[in-house]
Structures are given as structure tokens and as C-alpha cells.
Amino acid sequence: DTEVTQTPKHLVMGMTNKKSLKCEQHMGHRAMYWYKQKAKKPPELMFVYSYEKLSINESVPSRFSPECPNSSLLNLHLHALQPEDSALYLCASSTYALGPPAHGYTFGSGTRLTVV
Amino acid sequence: GNSVTQMEGPVTLSEEAFLTINCTYTATGYPSLFWYVQYPGEGLQLLLKATKADDKGSNKGFEATYRKETTSFHLEKGSVQVSDSAVYFCALGDNAGNMLTFGGGTRLMVKP
């Protein structure tokens, strides 16, 4: 299995809702990432998990809460989002978070989030 | 810090035309270089990579050569197809534990 699987593919939520995005990989990768991508822009790093521990939080607002239950799963819990949080949320994984990224990252297809 | 600069798009070509998308970088040490492609409505797919100077990455008719002397990693394809229409991102990964650094992306539109 050489894929990163993200669910759901599309999500519409109100500003008072609580929802979660899910990401799964079975490549044995020990680093997993959340990115946010706005239209016509490159992905922006949000969080990095290395060996199931949060290693980087790029000053992301607390209404985004990541969780890594095990080495194959990564969640992003959403609460009280704003319309400007509407974007494509991408999950990625790599062999390791630190050290030469010779193999690059494997990205999922993303969750298209719309906050109304 | 690390940075990646790509030519701004959109790049509009006719089918079977030659493609070049320029990418230059700034980094310390000896980074790895990547091209990712993003088709409409999808995530990023690794297109090709090069991990040391003078390496040539190639895939699906695309190629790019890691040029340390000019700090460049230009993407080329001899004959583009309509199905190549997508956004292409150049990216850099250093060996100091920093995350991937992306360029701004270049949209390619290929017309029949």
C-alpha cells in the first residue's frame, strides 16, 4: 500500500460545529503532516508528528486540534471555525521527519472544507 | 533560510509543444529537490526528484536536472499533452531536519 487516504473528501460545516478530518497510511512512515492549501497557493504546513508525538505546530489557532492515535492514523479536530478557514486540507507522510527527505512526502487527495 | 522561486503562470501551450518551467532555489548544504504535480481537485503527487548535484530526475516524459552551479531545477517535457494540464510545484528538502519548502506553483494549461 503506497497511499495516504483522507476522509471525508468534502465537508461543509457551520461555525458552531465540531468535526474531524481523518488520515491513514500503511507505508510504515513515522512522520505525518497536516497542510492547509488555499486556492492558487502552495500548501502551508500546520502540524508535524514524528513517532506519534507533535514536533511542530506552526502557530496554528487552537480551533484546530491534531491527534495521532497510532503510527498509521492522524486526525484533525475542528471546532468553531471561521469562513476564512475554508480550504483544502492535505495530509502527508514521510519515512522520517528529521534527516534527509530523499524520498519526499506522500500526499493524500485532501479534504475540501467549506465553513458556512 | 531556504527558499524556492518558480516562474509565475499560467503557462499556456498547444498540444505537442515543448515545456520548460523554471525553478531556482536558495539553501545551505546539499538539499534534495522535487517536482510535485497537482491535478484539479486532487492532492499533490510526486513527479520526480533528484538528491544530489547533476542528478537527473525523470518520470512520464518529464525531466529535471539538479544544477548546483546555477541553483536550478528546471522542469522540461518535449511534447505536452492536454492531460498534463495541472499546477506544478518545485520543492526543496534540506538535510538539516527542516520541512519541505515549496515554490509558489506554476499552472500549466495545454490546449488541443
Side-chain angles (χ1 to χ4, degrees):
Chain A
D1 187 352
T2 59
E3 291 187 346
V4 173
T5 303
Q6 289 188 244
T7 55
K9 291 195 179 302
H10 301 274
L11 178 62
V12 179
M13 62 183 290
M15 289 187 285
T16 58
N17 290 161
K18 286 185 179 181
K19 297 286 184 182
S20 296
L21 309 184
K22 297 186 184 302
C23 174
E24 189 169 1
Q25 59 88 13
H26 296 286
M27 295 176 281
H29 288 174
R30 304 316 301 267
M32 297 185 77
Y33 311 82
W34 280 115
Y35 281 85
K36 173 182 178 180
Q37 187 180 26
K38 301 285 274 186
K40 300 184 179 182
K41 296 291 186 181
E44 299 174 24
L45 184 65
M46 300 175 71
F47 302 104
V48 179
Y49 273 83
S50 177
Y51 289 90
E52 299 146 56
K53 293 190 186 324
L54 183 64
S55 63
I56 293 178
N57 175 341
E58 292 285 2
S59 304
V60 179
S62 59
R63 57 186 184 270
F64 295 91
S65 175
E67 178 196 19
C68 189
N70 60 56
S71 60
S72 299
L73 294 175
L74 186 66
N75 298 321
L76 185 63
H77 302 298
L78 314 173
H79 173 55
L81 295 193
Q82 302 297 309
E84 59 265 28
D85 296 321
S86 298
L88 180 67
Y89 287 84
L90 294 165
C91 175
S93 69
S94 66
T95 309
Y96 304 107
L98 300 179
H103 301 291
Y105 296 177
T106 302
F107 283 85
S109 296
T111 295
R112 177 79 56 189
L113 174 67
T114 303
V115 181
V116 298
Chain B
N2 298 332
S3 67
V4 177
T5 302
Q6 290 180 237
M7 60 189 293
E8 288 196 23
V11 174
T12 303
L13 296 173
S14 298
E15 208 165 21
E16 299 184 3
F18 184 87
L19 168 71
T20 300
I21 299 178
N22 290 339
C23 171
T24 56
Y25 68 89
T26 301
T28 55
Y30 304 94
S32 297
L33 300 171
F34 308 90
W35 277 102
Y36 284 86
V37 58
Q38 185 172 32
Y39 297 103
E42 297 186 11
L44 277 69
Q45 299 177 27
L46 180 63
L47 181 60
L48 54 84
K49 65 180 181 184
T51 58
K52 61 183 187 297
D54 299 325
D55 268 1
K56 178 185 283 188
S58 60
N59 187 24
K60 300 181 181 179
F62 290 90
E63 58 182 35
T65 301
Y66 187 160
R67 301 284 189 201
K68 189 167 176 61
E69 63 275 14
T70 54
T71 60
S72 65
F73 192 55
H74 305 321
L75 182 68
E76 296 182 335
K77 186 176 186 183
S79 176
V80 294
Q81 305 300 312
V82 173
S83 57
D84 293 327
S85 298
V87 180
Y88 292 81
F89 291 97
C90 186
L92 173 159
D94 68 18
N95 295 331
N98 294 311
M99 301 300 108
L100 277 186
T101 300
F102 287 95
T106 302
R107 181 175 299 276
L108 170 66
M109 298 170 58
V110 181
K111 298 185 174 181

